[in-house]
Amino acid sequence: MPESLSFGIDPITAHAWNKDRTKLAISPNSPEVHIYHFQRGEWKLEEILKEHDLKVTGIDWAPNTNRIVTCSADRNAYVWTQSEEKKWKPTLVLLRINRAATCVRWSPLENKFAVGSGARLISVCYFEKENDWWVSKHIKKPIRSTVTCLDWHPNDVLLAAGSTDFKVRVFSAYIKEIEDRPVSTSWGSKMPLGLMMAEFSNSTNGAGGWVHSVNFSSSGDRIAWVGHDSSISVADASKGMAVSVIRTDFLPFLACLWVSENRLIAAGHGCCPMLFEVNETGKVQFAGKLDASLKKESSGVSAMKKFQSLDRQARTETNDTSLGTLHQNAITSVCLHTGNKANATKFSTAGVDGLLAIWDFNNLESAMRGLKFN
Amino acid sequence: MAKNTSSSAFRKIDVDQYNEDNYKEDDCGESQSPPNIEALKTVLRNAPISSRNQMVKDAALNVVMQVLLSVKSSQIEEAVNALDRDHLDILMKYIYRGFETPSEGSSGQLLAWHEKVHAVAGVGCIVRVLTDKKRV
């Protein structure tokens, strides 16, 4: 049974964990960020970060440097650091964008972060010590519409971006001021800042839907994305950029996450995390629903239920409006909880229903009896 | 008696049209099941999705509608099972387009098609009708 925490009735637009998973930052569909601390067996609200003017659209927590970056529809991003008194202090980052920021991600080495925006560009920001401020560099070409999602390659240089122009692109976000030249990868060898290393269309015949989420696998060779046409795709740079797509029968996914080199989770409007597997030939296949916990009584109406509903809701019908899944509304984000992308044991999902759930693969194994594990 | 034989207008009526057992041309050929399903597969395979010519698309729509409405309700399930996922997506697009311009009894038949396609291809199929830029 997945552990679930309710944060009220407001949708959770973004969430992020600290390094040891004792603290959680969430944004309840407002300009505020709430920091929760797990103390003595329960989650307590520790602090509210109020600096943004408009809705916070993305939060990321750097585990090692313990810095939080938030971005908002007010075209700003703040980097929050914890002072001696344990209070979070914001530093404004000039993104130089004239539209809302949509998503933000720290790089793996936490020396820079990337912000996607409706201004059809990505701002890659790094800290300039001489002037003691965060500087941003732009990646513009050939992005033609809002950038909706970002993910970094483990080499700290390559960045994948999904957009509403139906494309997924891999760019180089190499900042020569703060890092050495990167070694070549399966995506290419020359990586000047802003160079597009690869571009994938979210459909074979040019149609398709907006890209909602993009994710690099732990090796960095594979990239997975989910689109609004209910599809999930995996591209493999080590296999000549071969793409495998499934157009699923489910409602569109909004988030995806690799949990091993061959398995990934996708969750979204269907309110249920789904497991997908990539086989030896590189083909992606549906592996199972991870929310088998709450099966609705298919036996139909029982006398007890009928009287209960009559008593509580003054109605004789017993067709519930509650879903058979843990989440009662769309899941908007999925985060790694325990483990890493090569081998994850727990992941968390947050949704429009204000619920945050932590799913444990060890507990889910019994629900997934019969599936082969690589 | 002389009066009612003076008019010869009765000779101009087509009395055969009032006969129920009349031979109607449409009744042959199309109602056998295999040609219908093959016809459906053919029109879906050749659907002019990439075409920019609206007349071509409208002509294709008419053909598809004819095929869909001629398949008997009991055969719809068999027809749907004979199609692959891509064709089911295209079929669902035609079903929704067919809803846009209803003719007599067409919406009911299309609803039956819709139910069967949805049972096989799920909501994802309907989502793709909404999100796909390439319309039929």
Side-chain angles (χ1 to χ4, degrees):
Chain A
M1 188 72 172
E3 190 187 329
S4 70
L5 316 162
S6 173
F7 289 98
I9 52 168
D10 292 317
I12 299 176
T13 33
H15 76 286
W17 298 93
N18 72 341
K19 184 167 184 169
D20 54 10
R21 304 330 194 206
T22 53
K23 292 200 189 186
L24 174 65
I26 64 158
S27 179
N29 202 36
S30 76
E32 298 174 350
V33 175
H34 295 192
I35 309 280
Y36 284 84
H37 186 36
F38 190 63
Q39 267 173 332
R40 287 183 286 276
E42 56 173 356
W43 286 91
K44 287 207 179 59
L45 178 62
E46 183 180 70
E47 197 177 338
I48 298 184
L49 311 182
K50 291 186 222 230
E51 201 70 30
H52 284 292
D53 301 318
L54 292 177
K55 184 166 100 161
V56 169
T57 49
I59 306 177
D60 202 16
W61 200 319
N64 297 323
T65 51
N66 201 36
R67 289 183 294 197
I68 300 178
V69 63
T70 58
C71 72
S72 158
D74 64 3
R75 303 172 282 124
N76 285 333
Y78 287 95
V79 174
W80 303 79
T81 45
Q82 224 175 4
S83 60
E84 266 77 53
E85 313 90 50
K86 297 291 180 193
K87 284 271 178 243
W88 290 94
K89 291 265 181 299
T91 309
L92 176 65
V93 177
L94 286 175
L95 299 172
R96 298 181 291 124
I97 55 179
N98 56 8
R99 291 289 185 280
T102 53
C103 50
V104 64
R105 281 273 184 274
W106 281 108
S107 72
L109 293 179
E110 299 164 31
N111 49 3
K112 52 186 174 171
F113 60 89
V115 181
S117 70
R120 296 151 49 166
L121 54 83
I122 303 171
S123 276
V124 182
C125 309
Y126 63 98
F127 193 67
E128 207 180 59
K129 281 209 181 60
E130 300 83 47
N131 295 329
D132 190 33
W133 70 344
W134 290 86
V135 177
S136 72
K137 296 225 162 134
H138 286 171
I139 299 177
K140 272 182 97 98
K141 293 199 177 55
I143 305 174
R144 309 221 332 258
S145 190
T146 303
V147 174
T148 51
C149 48
L150 293 169
D151 194 40
W152 288 89
H153 186 284
N155 77 350
D156 206 58
V157 171
L158 297 177
L159 183 63
S163 164
T164 53
D165 64 0
F166 315 109
K167 301 255 193 287
V168 167
R169 300 180 177 91
V170 177
F171 290 101
S172 161
Y174 168 62
I175 307 281
K176 59 183 194 291
E177 286 86 347
I178 55 165
E179 55 197 352
D180 301 324
R181 199 159 277 174
V183 295
S184 70
T185 66
S186 48
W187 295 93
S189 44
K190 288 219 181 303
M191 291 178 246
L193 172 64
L195 178 68
M196 185 173 80
M197 313 296 286
E199 183 180 75
F200 303 99
S201 179
N202 184 39
S203 171
T204 44
N205 49 6
W210 290 358
V211 179
H212 284 307
S213 177
V214 73
N215 208 257
F216 267 110
S217 68
S218 60
S219 67
D221 284 339
R222 285 182 174 159
I223 180 172
W225 68 90
V226 285
H228 201 71
D229 57 344
S230 298
S231 67
I232 178 164
S233 318
V234 172
D236 199 328
S238 63
K239 293 197 168 75
M241 307 294 176
V243 180
S244 166
V245 190
I246 308 183
R247 282 186 201 93
T248 70
D249 297 346
F250 311 115
L251 288 175
F253 297 117
L254 293 172
C256 62
L257 176 71
W258 288 94
V259 289
S260 84
E261 191 60 29
N262 295 319
R263 280 163 42 214
L264 63 142
I265 304 284
H269 289 286
C271 313
C272 178
M274 307 282 187
L275 183 65
F276 289 88
E277 257 179 2
V278 183
N279 66 8
E280 312 76 43
T281 60
K283 196 156 159 298
V284 59
Q285 291 157 330
F286 176 57
K289 287 191 188 186
L290 294 178
D291 196 347
S293 49
L294 301 175
K295 276 253 146 66
K296 265 182 130 159
E297 283 172 28
S298 51
S299 52
V301 178
S302 71
M304 171 70 141
K305 261 185 131 181
K306 222 176 161 161
F307 284 116
Q308 242 180 26
S309 91
L310 185 61
D311 185 41
R312 291 185 191 155
Q313 298 158 323
R315 64 175 182 187
T316 45
E317 290 160 13
T318 48
N319 54 341
D320 272 305
T321 47
S322 66
L323 297 175
T325 52
L326 178 63
H327 277 284
Q328 295 299 302
N329 209 324
I331 295 172
T332 50
S333 53
V334 176
C335 277
L336 261 179
H337 182 276
T338 312
N340 53 24
K341 279 192 198 177
N343 189 0
T345 48
K346 286 192 191 180
F347 65 93
S348 60
T349 54
V352 177
D353 51 0
L355 209 69
L356 188 134
I358 302 171
W359 306 79
D360 190 341
F361 274 114
N362 298 327
N363 292 343
L364 295 172
E365 262 188 53
S366 56
M368 295 195 289
R369 236 173 278 130
L371 289 173
K372 295 193 290 288
F373 288 97
N374 293 337
Chain B
M1 246 193 8
K3 283 216 177 85
N4 66 7
T5 53
S6 63
S7 166
S8 59
F10 70 90
R11 298 182 185 285
K12 297 197 175 90
I13 311 169
D14 178 13
V15 291
D16 282 344
Q17 69 183 262
Y18 302 115
N19 187 353
E20 282 136 33
D21 293 344
N22 211 358
Y23 169 77
K24 286 197 174 58
E25 269 191 59
D26 298 338
D27 267 348
C28 72
E30 309 251 340
S31 52
Q32 287 150 26
S33 54
N36 253 351
I37 297 184
E38 282 312 310
L40 183 62
K41 278 193 192 167
T42 311
V43 295
L44 291 180
R45 208 179 313 132
N46 299 333
I49 300 190
S50 316
S51 165
R52 299 251 176 103
N53 189 339
Q54 191 55 39
M55 290 193 13
V56 167
K57 291 192 172 197
D58 289 344
L61 174 66
N62 286 334
V63 175
V64 174
M65 279 303 115
Q66 269 180 9
V67 176
L68 289 184
L69 296 175
S70 67
V71 173
K72 288 209 197 54
S73 309
S74 48
Q75 290 163 350
I76 293 180
E77 196 167 338
E78 188 192 335
V80 169
N81 288 336
L83 297 172
D84 66 17
R85 274 300 189 280
D86 288 333
H87 288 157
L88 283 175
D89 284 351
I90 300 174
L91 173 58
M92 191 56 104
K93 287 185 192 171
Y94 274 116
I95 291 172
Y96 275 98
R97 261 216 83 187
F99 282 135
E100 287 172 33
T101 43
S103 61
E104 202 171 312
S106 72
S107 292
Q109 180 79 338
L110 287 175
L111 275 174
W113 275 100
H114 187 283
E115 184 196 347
K116 294 286 185 265
V117 176
H118 173 256
V120 174
V123 281
C125 185
I126 300 177
V127 170
R128 277 185 282 285
V129 173
L130 300 172
T131 57
D132 216 333
K133 283 192 303 182
K134 306 239 159 140
R135 313 194 66 199
V136 289

